[in-house]
């Protein structure tokens, strides 16, 4: 979807976001606009909830640096209702 600047795969009621692995932008938040409120957001590799903020249709999430690896991470976002 164009709502996110990161690569995303969509499956039923979930989006799988692949955060940037570039060291220069590693710690930048992921911003997804024009979406509904998420039901849950977690880092698939660990199952840990990803801190996020949701306001006025914009979801901003940041993977804590101690949870990142040099390998591609995947964040699963499950949605409440329609996006």
């Amino acid at each position: 979807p164009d709502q996110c600047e990161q690569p995303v795969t969509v499956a039923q009621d979930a989006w799988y976001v692949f955060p940037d692995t570039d060291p220069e932008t590693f710690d930048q938040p992921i911003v997804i606009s024009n979406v509904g409120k998420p039901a849950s957001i977690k880092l698939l590799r660990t199952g840990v909830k990803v801190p996020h903020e949701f306001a006025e249709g914009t979801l901003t999430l940041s993977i804590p640096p101690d949870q990142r690896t040099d390998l591609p991470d995947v964040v699963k976002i499950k949605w409440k209702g329609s996006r």
Side-chain angles (χ1 to χ4, degrees):
D2 348 346
Q3 293 105 316
C4 185
E5 293 180 2
Q6 304 295 325
V8 176
T9 298
V10 177
Q12 296 177 12
D13 65 345
W15 286 11
Y16 297 87
V17 181
F18 300 86
D20 195 353
T21 56
D22 182 344
E24 304 242 343
T25 57
F26 202 68
D27 60 350
Q28 297 293 319
I30 297 167
V31 179
I32 305 172
S33 56
N34 299 319
V35 293
K37 187 171 183 173
S40 68
I41 303 173
K42 67 181 175 179
L43 185 60
L44 279 184
R45 180 176 42 78
T46 63
V48 172
K49 292 181 181 180
V50 175
H52 65 280
E53 294 179 13
F54 178 76
E56 299 179 15
T58 299
L59 176 64
T60 304
L61 55 106
S62 297
I63 302 170
D66 64 339
Q67 295 291 317
R68 295 295 308 260
T69 66
D70 292 337
L71 300 172
D73 287 311
V74 180
V75 175
K76 180 179 181 180
I77 304 171
K78 289 195 72 160
W79 300 101
K80 291 182 179 179
S82 62
R83 293 176 288 297

